[in-house]
Amino acid sequence: MELNGVRVSRETQGRLQHFAELFQKWAKTINLVAPSTINDLWQRHIADSAQIFQLHPKPARWVDLGSGGGFPGIITAILLAEQADGHVDLVESNQKKAAFLRVCLRECEALGAVHAIRIEEAPKVIRHCEVISARALAELDVLLDYAAPWAERNENIRLLLHKGRDYEREVEKARGRWEFDLVKHNSVVERDSVILELNRPRHRI
């Protein structure tokens, strides 16, 4: 099986398939994603989320903010399992969604843990990370506020963030308060979407 042109093992394919089955089951009772996108689960959500990991395809300590239906955090955790190393801390304050995420981690044998807490509280519980991911969560300047405590502990932290067509306005707004090294990656799944890679985010003096 290939995801965005990258081949994954039969074991990983099985884990992703099982996740898709769990997702379809839980989505009948919990609003995990926009209902109009469920029928395009593999391309719109799973393959789209896999792009994040493919930009940092090596064992690492991840924090996934607002994990919701598992995108991209569960997909990252499943892909890390193929390497048998790394860890994803999934932050999701909604208790029902957090329960879903825990079931996915356990049954898909993925590498991670779920924290059913508000994002603002997460740095007190999760002391260290190397990569932060988020998808359809908040504007860039807000995400940088969320990431700030971890960035203060690790100046080499990397943020990998899904953004839509309005990303340039968000970047311009964020630069009013923040400095960061920016790389834009065009999405291979959604024509109007990008993944913003931010390195060394720091407050403007």
Side-chain angles (χ1 to χ4, degrees):
M1 176 187 180
E2 291 188 352
L3 276 175
N4 306 324
V6 178
R7 181 163 293 279
V8 299
S9 69
R10 184 176 300 176
E11 290 79 8
T12 296
Q13 181 179 351
R15 291 184 177 110
L16 291 170
Q17 182 62 49
H18 187 54
F19 166 76
E21 294 166 358
L22 288 169
F23 183 93
Q24 295 284 3
K25 176 183 177 180
W26 282 68
K28 294 176 181 178
T29 56
I30 299 176
N31 183 24
L32 296 174
V33 296
S36 61
T37 67
I38 291 179
N39 291 334
D40 195 19
L41 176 63
W42 278 92
Q43 185 72 3
R44 183 76 176 270
H45 296 295
I46 295 176
D48 190 38
S49 294
Q51 294 182 93
I52 290 279
F53 178 79
Q54 288 160 354
L55 292 174
H56 194 89
K58 54 188 177 182
R61 186 82 186 217
W62 291 69
V63 167
D64 186 55
L65 301 176
S67 299
F71 309 115
I74 290 291
I75 306 305
T76 300
I78 288 173
L79 294 172
L80 282 174
E82 183 165 333
Q83 302 186 10
D85 198 1
H87 182 93
V88 183
D89 286 299
L90 298 104
V91 181
E92 174 54 57
S93 62
N94 182 288
Q95 294 292 335
K96 291 182 178 180
K97 292 179 181 179
F100 163 71
L101 295 170
R102 290 191 181 100
V103 169
C104 291
L105 286 178
R106 182 175 67 251
E107 295 196 14
C108 297
E109 300 178 326
L111 300 182
V114 178
H115 305 271
I117 57 178
R118 298 177 67 247
I119 291 173
E120 293 87 347
E121 299 299 314
K124 300 175 185 177
V125 177
I126 308 162
R127 298 298 301 172
H128 174 75
C129 71
E130 298 164 276
V131 188
I132 295 175
S133 59
R135 183 174 184 258
L137 177 62
E139 288 205 354
L140 182 57
D141 62 331
V142 175
L143 293 173
L144 285 164
D145 281 331
Y146 290 155
W150 289 296
E152 291 171 0
R153 298 169 193 160
N154 177 13
E155 65 177 15
N156 295 316
I157 202 165
R158 170 181 287 184
L159 279 65
L160 294 172
L161 310 170
H162 277 96
K163 285 294 172 186
R165 66 181 67 184
D166 200 30
Y167 74 92
E168 291 181 336
R169 180 193 61 80
E170 291 191 31
V171 170
E172 182 178 356
K173 180 180 177 182
R175 287 200 185 278
R177 297 175 50 224
W178 297 89
E179 294 181 2
F180 45 82
D181 302 329
L182 176 67
V183 180
K184 182 194 75 172
H185 303 274
N186 291 323
S187 172
V188 300
V189 174
E190 293 287 334
R191 180 183 302 176
D192 295 329
S193 296
V194 298
I195 297 171
L196 298 183
E197 174 187 341
L198 278 66
N199 293 287
R200 300 185 64 247
R202 58 248 183 230
H203 282 288
R204 285 194 176 276
I205 301 175

